[in-house]
Structure formats: C-alpha cells, structure tokens
Amino acid sequence: MQTSDDMMNKGTILRRNSLADDVAAGLQAQIAGETYAVGDRLPAEPELMAQFGVGRSTVREAVRLLVNAGMLRVQQGQGTFVTSRQPLTGPLGKKLHGADYQELNEVRLLLEVKIAEKAALHRTRDDLARMKTYLRAREKFAKSGNVDATMQADVHFHTSIAVASKNSIMLELYQTIATHMLQSFKDRHKDTSDFAITQSMHKALLDAIADQDPAAALLWATRISTHNR
C-alpha cells in the first residue's frame, strides 16, 4: 500500500521528468531554429534555470537527454556545446556507432575536403568569426598540452566549416561522424604534438575560405586530411 509520502515522491519524480522533457524540447527548438549554431556553447546552468523557470536537476536532466540524442556535448571545464541541429537517430546513426575507426575516418576525410570547397563559396562573416574563435582555441590548448580541449576545439573548427558550407546534408553527416570519431581521437592522441604541427595548415585553410578561394581551400583540406596525425 502506498503512503502519502510515496505518492508525493512519485508525483515529484514524474513532474521532474516531465519538466526535463519540456526543457529538452525547448532547447531542441532553439537549436533547430538557429538560436544556437552548431559549435555554440549553451548558457550556464543558472541562466538556463532562469530562462525555463526550473531547478538545476531539471536542467541537467534535459541536457543529458539531448546529449544522448547527439545534439549536445558536455566538455568538462568548458561547458555544453551544440553538436547537431537534429537528433542523431535512425539506421545511419546505428551503422556509424558500430563502424571501425578506419571506415569512419575515410568518410570524414572525404567530407572535410568537399565541405571546405563549399565553405569558401558560401561562408559569411559570422561563419568566419566562429572559425577564428575555434582555431585560436585549438592553438591555445595545443600549446598548453590540454589534449581533450584541443580535440574538442579541432572538432568545433571543422564543424564550423561544415556549417559554412550551407549544405545541410553534409553538415548532418559530418556532425554524426565527428560525434562517433571523438572517442577514437581520445584513444589515439595522448598529447597535442600532432595538432601543433598541423596548426599552420589549418590557418592556411581558414585564409583560403576567408578569401573565397575554393581551389585553395580544397588543396589545404586535402593536405590536412592526408597528413598522418
């Protein structure tokens, strides 16, 4: 027999889950509606709590739901970042989840080359600003030896190029693959030396995109993709 306390506790749990779903849906709508771009950092927990009128546990549960859906990534000490405009579900997501590193990497490298070419044609000032922010972060973290932060900045940089390509299908494919690749990167890179070596190549790629030179962007993206890092 349930006591009144049991019923109250059960009601509280159900209410919290319902609120978390509502907050998750609200954040998902904002991301899909371009309030936040891929690569953007979400506001801190207190701001989200005030925005949705909920408690800290509800915000954390909502973020967890979107992390599981592949839309957000929590980076310890850095914040919560948007990784996809849509939930990464369906047969492709399952296929990529079970793919090995070599298969994923081949598709990623092919995408990066074409994405760079398209980004040079279609980038905006806002796109360039995001790229520059992530490239500076990549360099800073690489110099300080912070492996996780360097890899995250690298993924954000290339994702911001995918955003600038203005091809939603390539963007979704790249986001899905990058999400699955990150753990492999962590297993393979024990320091930031490879990232430091390729920093100048990434700067040249950014310059080519800024100059709206698709041939040069394709060239530098190819050099980056074929570099043994």
Side-chain angles (χ1 to χ4, degrees):
M1 180 175 178
Q2 290 183 320
T3 66
S4 59
D5 286 344
D6 290 334
M7 295 179 67
M8 288 178 64
N9 288 336
K10 183 178 179 181
T12 300
I13 292 172
L14 290 174
R15 181 172 182 273
R16 184 188 301 129
N17 288 340
S18 176
L19 284 175
D21 288 339
D22 289 344
V23 173
L27 286 172
Q28 183 173 343
Q30 290 178 351
I31 294 168
E34 301 188 5
T35 300
Y36 303 112
V38 172
D40 283 353
R41 183 171 58 187
L42 290 188
E45 284 183 352
E47 187 173 340
L48 291 175
M49 290 162 59
Q51 178 182 344
F52 290 100
V54 297
R56 188 179 302 275
S57 61
T58 299
V59 167
R60 290 183 175 177
E61 174 64 13
V63 168
R64 186 189 67 80
L65 291 172
L66 294 183
V67 167
N68 290 341
M71 297 185 70
L72 298 177
R73 176 177 296 281
V74 178
Q75 181 68 25
Q76 192 67 31
Q78 301 293 321
T80 301
F81 296 89
V82 178
T83 56
S84 175
R85 291 197 183 282
Q86 299 295 333
L88 304 179
T89 58
L92 178 60
K94 294 178 181 178
K95 178 71 174 177
L96 292 173
H97 183 72
D100 63 24
Y101 174 84
Q102 188 62 35
E103 288 181 327
L104 284 173
N105 200 42
E106 287 175 355
V107 177
R108 178 182 69 89
L109 298 180
L110 287 171
L111 279 174
E112 284 185 356
V113 171
K114 189 61 180 178
I115 282 169
E117 184 182 35
K118 297 280 289 182
L121 294 171
H122 302 297
R123 96 292 185 278
T124 65
R125 289 183 179 179
D126 287 342
D127 291 327
L128 290 175
R130 277 192 290 270
M131 291 178 212
K132 291 176 182 177
T133 296
Y134 295 131
L135 191 58
R136 284 195 296 267
R138 185 185 190 277
E139 182 176 30
K140 181 184 73 173
F141 292 130
K143 286 181 177 178
S144 67
N146 188 329
V147 180
D148 285 347
T150 303
M151 289 188 294
Q152 191 68 58
D154 182 79
V155 169
H156 284 323
F157 173 72
H158 286 286
T159 301
S160 68
I161 296 176
V163 172
S165 75
K166 310 308 177 189
N167 185 310
S168 61
I169 296 175
M170 285 200 294
L171 172 59
E172 290 297 329
L173 282 172
Y174 188 79
Q175 290 169 337
T176 305
I177 290 168
T179 298
H180 288 83
M181 286 289 297
L182 196 56
Q183 186 56 52
S184 295
F185 280 165
K186 291 180 179 180
D187 294 339
R188 289 171 176 267
H189 294 286
K190 302 306 180 185
D191 59 46
T192 60
S193 58
D194 285 342
F195 294 93
I197 291 170
T198 59
Q199 183 69 21
S200 61
M201 294 183 186
H202 284 71
K203 175 62 166 59
L205 172 58
L206 175 57
D207 289 343
I209 293 172
D211 292 340
Q212 295 189 301
D213 187 340
L218 188 150
L219 173 64
W220 283 109
T222 301
R223 288 185 179 180
I224 291 169
S225 69
T226 54
H227 181 82
N228 184 23
R229 52 176 185 151

